[in-house]
Amino acid sequence: MHPVRISARCKIVTPMLSSGADQQEFEIRSTSVKSGLRFWWRAFQPDEGQTLYKKEEQLFGSTELACPFSIFVKPDKSTFEYWKPGDSVGEWGEGLGYIFFSIFNGRDKKIKNTVQKRDSTVDQGKSGRPIAKPGGEFELNITFKASYSETDVKDVICSLWLLENFGGLGGRTRRGAGCFEIINIEIDSDEVNEFTKQLIMSQKNYARPELFIDSGIRFICKRWLDENDSYKIPDYTAFRPGISEILVFKNPHSGKGNGAMKAMDAIGLGMKIFRNTNPYEEARQMHHALTDEGNPVPDFKVLQKAQMGLPIIYNFRGDGRFDRGGAPDRSIGYNAKGIIWDDKKNLPIKSAKDNSERRSSPLLISCHEFGKIPYAVICHLPAPILPEGQKLWLESKPVGHDHFSTPPAGYNYVEELLIKGNEVNGDKRKPLHKYFEKCFYIRKRKVAVTPAKPVKKENKSVLETDNNNQTKIDIKPEDEKLKWLRQIKDKPGDLQWYLGETIGNFQGKKEICPCDLWYLENGEVKKDEGKWQVKGKQFSTITNLKKEKGTFFLCTKQPDQNTAPSGYLFNVKKPG
């Protein structure tokens, strides 16, 4: 066997903040690509613990075992442009400034709307970090050793689809930064190349982005996860059917810019407005404790905002200035993080090395463009905020106002941010989906998220949420038929293949069911005018082909040379 190489031509679609050892130079590192592939592969695996570790080690390597593939990233420098420290970013909207808050000058009138330079007194005159503008192109080469496994290659391709459509490269990727699209991909293996076309380059087969995303999830879950199985909440950020949610927000009517940039700006703007002093009572109690306007320590039991991840850095304005304009005083605030709690002594163990100072956000946002339609993919992958036995430590500055609270068990704050909205001191805060024309549930949670029993998910199609927060099925029948018909492969024997659809019940001793047949003509779905039927035993030998009304299957009207005529449909197969 010879080595197999995956060569993907990629284009940046949202601002990318990425560098190597030299923070002042932009660089897309191969290690960043590999860690992204590893994260998304792990997120869609059903296993946990040592079983997961062993599988991950085989595919991505470890200190004990070499990785079966290498990654090389080659930027096309002629296509790259940057926002450099000190440059104006006037084309950024308020939302992008919020997402890149740590490197954005948003207040100082003399340098407002620029990329930050470092403080020369602290950083010895070093510059800040450059940001690549959308449009930069790079070549991503993944080369497998001669002893490669075809399964491994296909698993990496699935991970690459997830990284492209749900993730990104560099910093702030969970808020829409560093997104890219694969504009071409080549693989020097016919079998793997066909697999890749069905997944990576399948976008052209769909009329709308929500259908494309739904199809990709189905394709990958068919390989890795049974969407009809039962699952419990994982201990880490991972997709679990019935527990996790994936949504598509389409056509932003807020935000600045075009394409994926506009979708990202709408997300950032919505998050900024929604999260400001929200939850209100939490923020008010913290502020008043520090300014001696209230109790010396807050008295809320649960810090709901921790649902978005840790740490949370709070900086407040001074006495009498809560919920008012102006820059915060960075000497007044709280730092929320995890800490191990000694139940017997009812005291925290501040020196414990296992205290969880960080918990990545379970909300992952990726922004793209489908044709000329900007959209955002929202993945909410719930998992416990803190390990068992830890509480939230709100460490105060100035000292003397520390507070310890219980980590939230549910995700109502995230649901309000995305779909429901809420009210803050009489001010209605609209959810993120209201910044877009349409919202689609690609995968919807079936139960409240608490560490309890496994749940069983009903596998539903794409759901649309309108402005009244109602849901309805949004996959049109012709879209579903078109998807399957486009995936029909040429079969030997010169037989024409059709998409069958059961239109009644399986009845009688032979379980006979009437069917419609569909075919493509000049790219349009056409119905065969004949009357057709199928027998139940033709379905019985095929996994997951249900004997019920509305089931799709592939078939021919004529027998092949190995099949005797019978008056029924022939060569019944599962579609896909």
Side-chain angles (χ1 to χ4, degrees):
M1 297 175 69
H2 62 84
V4 167
R5 187 171 74 168
I6 303 170
S7 297
R9 180 79 173 184
C10 307
K11 183 172 75 172
I12 297 170
V13 296
T14 61
M16 185 178 286
L17 179 66
S18 181
S19 56
D22 185 351
Q23 293 281 295
Q24 299 172 65
E25 293 293 327
F26 179 86
E27 179 186 356
I28 302 174
R29 305 187 70 191
S30 59
T31 52
S32 176
V33 176
K34 185 178 180 181
S35 65
L37 294 173
R38 183 193 292 263
F39 171 85
W40 284 108
W41 175 89
R42 187 192 302 124
F44 274 73
Q45 297 301 311
D47 304 305
E48 296 186 26
Q50 281 299 309
T51 303
L52 177 65
Y53 173 77
K54 289 297 182 183
K55 289 173 65 176
E56 184 177 337
E57 183 183 50
Q58 291 293 323
L59 184 58
F60 292 99
S62 67
T63 55
E64 307 294 329
L65 188 66
C67 180
F69 62 86
S70 60
I71 298 175
F72 178 70
V73 181
K74 182 181 179 182
D76 182 349
K77 295 184 178 180
S78 66
T79 65
F80 273 78
E81 295 182 358
Y82 304 96
W83 289 292
K84 296 181 179 179
D87 285 353
S88 170
V89 285
E91 62 265 57
W92 286 14
E94 192 176 346
L96 261 75
Y98 176 76
I99 289 171
F100 285 114
F101 72 94
S102 62
I103 58 168
F104 178 67
N105 289 308
R107 295 185 178 277
D108 191 321
K109 292 182 179 180
K110 294 181 180 179
I111 55 172
K112 190 174 182 179
N113 294 333
T114 62
V115 180
Q116 278 186 356
K117 293 183 177 180
R118 295 185 181 182
D119 187 331
S120 59
T121 61
V122 176
D123 298 294
Q124 301 177 346
K126 291 182 180 179
S127 180
R129 300 178 66 183
I131 304 168
K133 296 182 179 182
E137 297 185 8
F138 59 95
E139 195 81 23
L140 174 60
N141 294 311
I142 304 174
T143 304
F144 283 80
K145 299 175 182 177
S147 57
Y148 76 92
S149 158
E150 185 178 307
T151 298
D152 288 348
V153 180
K154 290 180 177 179
D155 281 352
V156 168
I157 290 168
C158 289
S159 301
L160 182 58
W161 186 91
L162 292 167
L163 176 61
E164 175 196 10
N165 290 284
F166 295 167
L169 299 172
R172 305 297 290 165
T173 57
R174 297 195 180 210
R175 295 296 176 263
C179 297
F180 65 95
E181 66 172 342
I182 297 173
I183 54 181
N184 187 49
I185 189 167
E186 295 179 356
I187 301 176
D188 49 6
S189 166
D190 291 340
E191 290 186 10
V192 178
N193 200 35
E194 186 59 40
F195 178 89
T196 305
K197 287 179 181 178
Q198 293 180 43
L199 182 63
I200 299 287
M201 302 306 293
S202 66
Q203 188 181 94
K204 62 182 181 295
N205 295 335
Y206 300 94
R208 308 197 300 274
E210 64 273 16
L211 298 176
F212 167 66
I213 296 297
D214 175 63
S215 174
I217 295 171
R218 289 179 185 274
F219 187 98
I220 288 171
C221 286
K222 182 179 176 181
R223 182 173 180 83
W224 289 340
L225 279 165
D226 185 348
E227 289 202 79
N228 293 310
D229 208 347
S230 298
Y231 297 94
K232 66 179 182 65
I233 296 175
D235 294 331
Y236 57 96
T237 301
F239 174 77
R240 292 293 182 267
I243 297 169
S244 304
E245 289 194 324
I246 299 177
L247 305 94
V248 168
F249 296 167
K250 190 169 74 173
N251 280 331
H253 48 66
S254 299
K256 191 174 181 179
N258 299 299
M261 281 270 287
K262 185 171 183 178
M264 182 179 173
D265 192 51
I267 290 289
L269 178 63
M271 293 188 78
K272 178 180 180 180
I273 294 173
F274 183 89
R275 297 184 69 185
N276 181 36
T277 61
N278 185 8
Y280 184 85
E281 189 58 24
E282 289 179 3
R284 188 193 67 80
Q285 288 186 26
M286 284 187 273
H287 174 270
H288 285 11
L290 296 170
T291 58
D292 296 327
E293 296 175 66
N295 296 329
V297 295
D299 59 13
F300 55 80
K301 304 299 182 184
V302 179
L303 183 68
Q304 295 295 344
K305 204 166 189 174
Q307 295 171 29
M308 297 291 292
L310 298 171
I312 307 174
I313 310 297
Y314 295 89
N315 291 301
F316 293 106
R317 301 171 189 89
D319 187 1
R321 296 181 60 205
F322 178 69
D323 200 17
R324 297 186 181 180
D329 183 345
R330 297 188 180 276
S331 66
I332 302 174
Y334 278 99
N335 180 10
K337 52 191 174 182
I339 191 168
I340 294 176
W341 190 264
D342 188 330
D343 285 327
K344 292 182 178 179
K345 297 181 180 179
N346 198 31
L347 290 171
I349 308 176
K350 294 183 178 180
S351 60
K353 64 178 181 179
D354 292 327
N355 286 340
S356 300
E357 296 200 359
R358 295 192 62 82
R359 168 64 168 93
S360 296
S361 174
L363 196 62
L364 298 95
I365 301 171
S366 187
C367 299
H368 298 274
E369 188 173 14
F370 190 95
K372 294 185 178 180
I373 302 173
Y375 69 98
V377 180
I378 317 293
C379 295
H380 184 211
L381 310 180
I385 299 298
L386 290 173
E388 188 175 355
Q390 294 202 25
K391 285 192 175 185
L392 283 165
W393 174 19
L394 279 81
E395 185 179 19
S396 68
K397 54 178 183 179
V399 298
H401 304 275
D402 287 11
H403 179 53
F404 301 92
S405 71
T406 302
Y411 281 91
N412 60 300
Y413 183 75
V414 176
E415 291 168 357
E416 290 172 351
L417 168 67
L418 297 178
I419 298 298
K420 297 178 180 178
N422 66 12
E423 190 171 300
V424 176
N425 197 30
D427 176 27
K428 290 185 177 180
R429 302 287 172 87
K430 66 182 182 180
L432 290 188
H433 84 86
K434 291 282 190 176
Y435 292 81
F436 293 77
E437 289 182 6
K438 289 189 176 182
C439 161
F440 301 88
Y441 277 104
I442 309 301
R443 293 296 181 273
K444 187 172 175 61
R445 184 177 303 122
K446 297 300 174 185
V447 295
V449 178
T450 53
K453 300 176 182 178
V455 298
K456 190 169 183 73
K457 179 183 185 296
E458 290 181 38
N459 196 9
K460 296 291 185 182
S461 297
V462 180
L463 296 172
E464 179 184 342
T465 300
D466 64 19
N467 287 334
N468 295 318
N469 288 336
Q470 297 173 338
T471 58
K472 60 183 179 182
I473 297 294
D474 193 62
I475 281 189
K476 298 179 180 179
E478 59 267 29
D479 289 329
E480 187 80 3
K481 296 182 182 78
L482 185 63
K483 178 177 72 172
W484 295 125
L485 284 167
R486 281 175 167 166
Q487 293 183 29
I488 291 178
K489 306 293 184 296
D490 293 330
K491 306 291 182 181
D494 297 323
L495 297 176
Q496 182 175 354
W497 286 77
Y498 294 83
L499 178 68
E501 178 185 11
T502 55
I503 58 173
N505 298 319
F506 288 77
Q507 296 180 340
K509 189 174 181 179
K510 292 185 178 181
E511 292 187 299
I512 305 301
C513 181
C515 307
D516 283 337
L517 296 189
W518 306 90
Y519 62 96
L520 276 182
E521 185 178 283
N522 298 323
E524 294 185 6
V525 178
K526 299 286 186 180
K527 180 181 175 182
D528 186 272
E529 294 303 324
K531 293 184 178 181
W532 306 98
Q533 52 190 11
V534 69
K535 290 190 294 187
K537 72 176 185 179
Q538 293 177 284
F539 278 30
S540 299
T541 58
I542 303 172
T543 305
N544 292 333
L545 205 56
K546 296 181 179 180
K547 290 189 283 187
E548 59 184 33
K549 185 178 179 180
T551 296
F552 288 117
F553 59 95
L554 302 185
C555 64
T556 64
K557 294 195 293 186
Q558 298 87 24
D560 58 27
Q561 59 184 355
N562 299 317
T563 309
S566 65
Y568 300 99
L569 295 170
F570 301 95
N571 302 310
V572 172
K573 300 179 183 295
K574 184 180 176 182

